[in-house]
Amino acid sequence: MVGTRSVGKPRAGTVPTGGPTVALAVTLLVLAGCGNQPVDAATPTVVASGAAFDADRAALVLTAFDQADSAASVSGDVQTLRTQEVSPSLEVSIAAIRRAEYNQRPQPAFQHVNPAFAVPPGEPGCFLATATLRLAGAELAPTDVSHFVRDTDGRWKLSHNVQVTQSALVTARGIAGRPATAGGTAVDETSRRALAAELFARTTGTSTGNRALVASSPLLDGQFAGGWEVYQQQLAGAGARVARTLDRAEWSDCAVTTPEGTLTFLTVYATDTLSPKPSGPATVTMVPQSPDMISTGRRAPVTGKRIRVTRVETFLLLVPAQATGTSVLGLNDTALTVTTG
C-alpha cells in the first residue's frame, strides 16, 4: 500500500510530434503503510473457535498486513503485494513502486499506530480502519483511512487507502467503535449517481450544475482541478488537447454512519484522451518522463493520432443524510495504462 501517490497533478511530458516538450509541475501525495518482518499477512488469523470478528481481530489483521505490505513496498515485491491488496489499492501501490524505481529511491517502511475500527456485526466481509501512519525517516505522521475486504478463501486484503486532510482528522477518528454497514446501501442510489457525476466533473474544474452537492474542497477544487487546468493550457500551447470521460464508478463494500454523516469510499475509473488540435501536427507523443508514463511502467515514447490514459481516482467521502454538502476527506489518483488508437 505504501508509496508516492499522485493527486491532481498535470501529466508532464505529453507533446505533439515535432513540437516543444511540455514541462508541467507534478504534485505528489505520499501514502505509506507499516511493517517490520515480512509475514503472510493475507493468511487468515487463528482465533478461538466461535470468536466473533471484532476490533481486536481487526487489529491483528492490520498488524499482519503492515508487516508484509511494508516489506513488499520497500523491496518493490509486486507478487507479495498481490497477496495483500486488491483493486483499486493494488494498482495504486504498483504505480508507487514504479515511481520509486524510476527515481531510484526506495519507499519508506511504514506502520499504523493507534488504530480505530468500524466493523460490521457477525462474520463480516469488510471493515474500516483509521490510524496514524508512521513512516520510517519522516517527522510527520499523517492519518489515513483503510478499507479491507475478505476474499473467498477467508484472506483479508486492503482494497482502499486514502490519507485524510488535516481538517478531517476528528471526522476520521469518529468511526471508532461504530458498526460498519454495507457501502452500497448506506447511500441511496440516486445520491450515489449524482455524487459520482459531480465529483468526476469537479476533477476537471466543471460541474453538473449541482455544485452544492459537494462542498468546496481545496484538495479537489484547488489542487486537483487546478492541475487539470494547467495541463490543458500547456497542451494547448503545444498544439494538443485532452478530454476526460467517466468509465464507471464503484462504492466500497463497507461504510460507517457517524453523527456527521456516512463515511465511505468512491472509486472513479476514467480515461484521458489526448489528440492534436485541428491546426496542430498529425500525432501526439508522451515521453518517458511523463508522470503517467512512469506510473504505468512505460520506458519508451508513445506516439499516435490519439493516446488514451486510463486512470483510477479514489475519494474518501463524508455524505450527510440528504447528500447535499458532501465533504471530500481525502483522495488519490494514478494512471493505469497508456495506449494508442
Side-chain angles (χ1 to χ4, degrees):
M1 109 179 199
V2 306
T4 304
R5 302 180 182 188
S6 55
V7 175
K9 65 182 188 308
R11 282 86 197 166
T14 308
V15 298
T17 301
T21 299
V22 180
L24 302 178
V26 180
T27 303
L28 299 177
L29 174 67
V30 175
L31 294 186
C34 9
N36 298 306
Q37 300 301 317
V39 298
D40 183 5
T43 301
T45 305
V46 177
V47 296
S49 177
F53 190 94
D54 55 13
D56 289 339
R57 287 178 64 182
L60 293 176
V61 171
L62 181 62
T63 298
F65 166 82
D66 279 356
Q67 292 175 346
D69 201 84
S70 176
S73 298
V74 172
S75 65
D77 184 352
V78 173
Q79 289 306 113
T80 297
L81 279 183
R82 294 184 187 279
T83 70
Q84 306 301 316
E85 304 185 31
V86 294
S87 179
S89 180
L90 177 61
E91 286 84 0
V92 177
S93 293
I94 291 174
I97 284 178
R98 289 168 176 159
R99 287 192 291 269
E101 291 174 344
Y102 180 87
N103 294 318
Q104 298 183 335
R105 288 198 302 267
Q107 298 185 82
F110 66 87
Q111 182 180 12
H112 287 101
V113 296
N114 300 322
F117 302 94
V119 181
E123 283 298 317
C126 56
F127 69 86
L128 291 154
T130 184
T132 300
L133 194 57
R134 182 179 294 163
L135 306 175
E139 294 183 5
L140 298 179
T143 295
D144 69 0
V145 177
S146 302
H147 181 278
F148 286 84
V149 295
R150 181 153 40 185
D151 66 16
T152 55
D153 294 327
R155 299 173 183 271
W156 287 101
K157 296 182 179 181
L158 179 73
S159 60
H160 302 71
N161 175 266
V162 169
Q163 284 188 10
V164 300
T165 60
Q166 190 68 25
S167 61
L169 296 182
V170 173
T171 299
R173 299 297 299 189
I175 72 172
R178 297 184 180 277
T181 58
T185 59
V187 179
D188 67 88
E189 183 176 357
T190 299
S191 296
R192 292 200 306 270
R193 290 179 180 274
L195 283 167
E198 177 64 18
L199 284 161
F200 170 74
R202 296 274 280 276
T203 65
T204 60
T206 59
S207 173
T208 60
N210 191 10
R211 195 171 184 86
L213 187 64
V214 177
S216 178
S217 162
L219 187 59
L220 174 64
D221 300 310
Q223 186 175 335
F224 205 103
W228 173 261
E229 182 180 3
V230 171
Y231 185 42
Q232 285 186 308
Q233 292 172 351
Q234 294 283 354
L235 286 176
R241 57 188 176 182
V242 59
R244 175 171 293 173
T245 54
L246 173 63
D247 297 329
R248 69 183 190 277
E250 298 175 352
W251 295 81
S252 56
D253 290 352
C254 269
V256 58
T257 299
T258 73
E260 298 176 89
T262 298
L263 189 144
T264 186
F265 284 95
L266 167 65
T267 303
V268 169
Y269 293 88
T271 299
D272 294 343
T273 301
L274 288 70
S275 60
K277 296 176 70 174
S279 58
T283 59
V284 289
T285 295
M286 291 184 70
V287 297
Q289 295 81 6
S290 161
D292 286 345
M293 292 280 279
I294 295 171
S295 295
T296 56
R298 303 295 293 266
R299 296 295 179 260
V302 174
T303 299
K305 293 182 178 180
R306 287 183 177 82
I307 297 177
R308 291 183 174 86
V309 181
T310 62
R311 57 193 328 101
V312 59
E313 299 164 347
T314 304
F315 301 85
L316 178 64
L317 305 176
L318 181 68
V319 185
Q322 302 303 318
T324 299
T326 291
S327 299
V328 177
L329 307 183
L331 65 90
N332 58 47
D333 158 83
T334 194
L336 300 177
T337 63
V338 175
T339 58
T340 59

